[in-house]
Amino acid sequence: MSDAGDEDDQARLFREAIGQVRRIAPTPTPPRKPRPRPLARMAQADERAAASEFRRALQAMPIGAGDVLSHRVQALPVGVFNRLRRGQFSVQDELDLHGATAAQAETALRQFLRDAQRSGSACVRIIHGKGLGSQAEIPVLKNVVDRVLRHRSDVLAFHSATPAQGGTGAVVVLLGAR
């Protein structure tokens, strides 16, 4: 029993030595780091498939230097498209692809369209050049621009610019809400 008595004495001495105690309020647990955004694997797979299809289409039917780029979705009224063709829309942003390789142009164009969409731009101009100085027999950048624009769901219509805005060396694009 002396062991139990010694323990009681030691506990009593300890309490006397430290004095009065008060309970500390529990500290809240720190917030967790936010979870990383999930990867859009299906969207990435779709992008890869579209890029592959795009490259096949680029090789299948190239557009010539003097050819006019023109496309509209069925839902866009013909009158609106005709206004675009005549250059009656105010261009809100512009991308110049001169000097870019096909891969650089494709990446820059996709990023430019994404940024234009986020900023709310409805009409943009893309300068691709006529391709007269191209090493290839076809205007590479013009073909890249045509194929990318045709495969984007946010592009309502596009048409080669009026002569005053760059003619067949540029294209004016109408963007819709995504």
Side-chain angles (χ1 to χ4, degrees), residues 98-126:
H98 278 106
T101 65
Q104 291 168 338
E106 184 178 349
T107 302
L109 179 56
R110 289 180 191 280
Q111 184 62 48
F112 172 74
L113 292 171
R114 228 176 283 126
D115 294 344
Q117 190 73 32
R118 286 187 188 128
S119 70
S121 296
C123 183
V124 296
R125 179 175 34 240
I126 300 156

Side-chain angles (χ1 to χ4, degrees), residues 27-175:
T27 58
T29 57
R32 284 195 240 163
K33 285 184 179 179
R35 288 183 155 180
R37 293 180 65 139
L39 294 175
R41 289 190 183 109
M42 292 304 291
Q44 290 171 345
D46 288 347
E47 280 291 322
R48 283 191 300 274
S52 174
E53 167 115 8
F54 163 75
R55 285 184 183 83
R56 279 195 300 276
L58 182 60
Q59 294 166 348
M61 201 172 73
I63 295 168
D67 293 345
V68 171
L69 300 183
S70 185
H71 174 75
R72 83 173 172 90
V73 296
Q74 289 277 325
L76 187 74
V78 174
V80 175
F81 182 69
N82 288 335
R83 287 182 53 216
L84 175 70
R85 225 174 18 95
R86 290 189 299 263
Q88 295 177 337
F89 282 94
S90 175
V91 173
Q92 297 166 317
D93 206 353
E94 181 175 271
L95 173 67
D96 189 343
L97 296 173
H98 278 106
T101 65
Q104 291 168 338
E106 184 178 349
T107 302
L109 179 56
R110 289 180 191 280
Q111 184 62 48
F112 172 74
L113 292 171
R114 228 176 283 126
D115 294 344
Q117 190 73 32
R118 286 187 188 128
S119 70
S121 296
C123 183
V124 296
R125 179 175 34 240
I126 300 156
I127 302 168
H128 48 71
K130 294 184 181 180
L132 300 176
S134 177
Q135 302 293 345
E137 292 182 18
I138 60 167
V140 176
L141 297 181
K142 187 173 188 173
N143 279 276
V144 167
V145 169
D146 181 70
R147 298 302 189 257
V148 168
L149 294 178
R150 285 179 190 274
H151 288 96
R152 299 235 357 153
S153 63
D154 55 345
V155 172
L156 298 177
F158 61 88
H159 195 279
S160 289
T162 62
Q165 294 179 332
T168 58
V171 65
V172 181
V173 182
L174 276 183
L175 298 172

